[in-house]
Amino acid sequence: MLPTLFSSSSIPILEQVVNFSEARHNVLAGNIANMDTPGYKASDLSPVKFQAQLKEAVESQRNRSQFPASNIAGANNPISSQESDSNNSFADIRETMHSLTYLDESDVDMEHQVAELTKNQVQHNLALTIMTQQFRLLQAAISERA
């Protein structure tokens, strides 16, 4: 019952957003830490690719929920092996494209990295806030209080 309860809410989606933003934060922090390293090329996780894959996962989850659970292979597992493979592809790191190259051939721009880090932190905090509210709603429903 609990896996069905969680999979029917937005909690699995929010979990993926939190995981992605945590991984991206580590990459961006590494860029800032290596800013003075000669020849260092900045890396980043693609938010656009993540959002596209998350959208596909949500749509496939909706399509599966339209059929009875007995017709779905692995109905007890809310995340199929195809979706877990796509989650692993979130770890693909791309090199950022900058028109500015420094004399030491690095391409780390402090302002850009801090701006991306800030946007990423806002996304992470928003997902955690919504997830906390979802858990409070579930707790209220379980304890039968409004």
Side-chain angles (χ1 to χ4, degrees), residues 93-104:
I93 296 178
R94 65 171 171 86
E95 289 190 10
T96 56
M97 305 292 249
H98 297 289
S99 59
L100 179 65
T101 304
Y102 300 98
L103 292 175
D104 63 358

Side-chain angles (χ1 to χ4, degrees), residues 86-121:
S86 69
N87 292 341
N88 292 335
S89 65
F90 294 149
D92 293 341
I93 296 178
R94 65 171 171 86
E95 289 190 10
T96 56
M97 305 292 249
H98 297 289
S99 59
L100 179 65
T101 304
Y102 300 98
L103 292 175
D104 63 358
E105 297 183 8
S106 68
D107 68 348
V108 181
D109 179 21
M110 177 63 103
E111 290 81 12
H112 176 74
Q113 295 300 314
V114 170
E116 289 298 314
L117 196 65
T118 303
K119 286 192 287 187
N120 190 60
Q121 182 178 359

Side-chain angles (χ1 to χ4, degrees), residues 11-26:
I11 292 173
I13 297 166
L14 294 167
E15 177 186 11
Q16 293 305 317
V17 172
V18 168
N19 289 339
F20 173 78
S21 61
E22 179 183 355
R24 186 166 188 238
H25 183 87
N26 289 333

Side-chain angles (χ1 to χ4, degrees), residues 53-107:
Q53 290 177 339
L54 187 62
K55 182 179 178 182
E56 288 176 20
V58 168
E59 288 173 358
S60 70
Q61 182 73 18
R62 283 184 187 154
N63 291 339
R64 284 189 300 169
S65 67
Q66 293 175 354
F67 299 104
S70 60
N71 294 340
I72 300 173
N76 293 332
N77 186 2
I79 299 176
S80 68
S81 61
Q82 179 184 6
E83 288 176 11
S84 64
D85 290 344
S86 69
N87 292 341
N88 292 335
S89 65
F90 294 149
D92 293 341
I93 296 178
R94 65 171 171 86
E95 289 190 10
T96 56
M97 305 292 249
H98 297 289
S99 59
L100 179 65
T101 304
Y102 300 98
L103 292 175
D104 63 358
E105 297 183 8
S106 68
D107 68 348

Side-chain angles (χ1 to χ4, degrees), residues 30-42 102-108:
N31 288 343
I32 293 171
N34 289 301
M35 188 175 79
D36 293 331
T37 304
Y40 180 78
K41 301 293 182 194
Y102 300 98
L103 292 175
D104 63 358
E105 297 183 8
S106 68
D107 68 348
V108 181

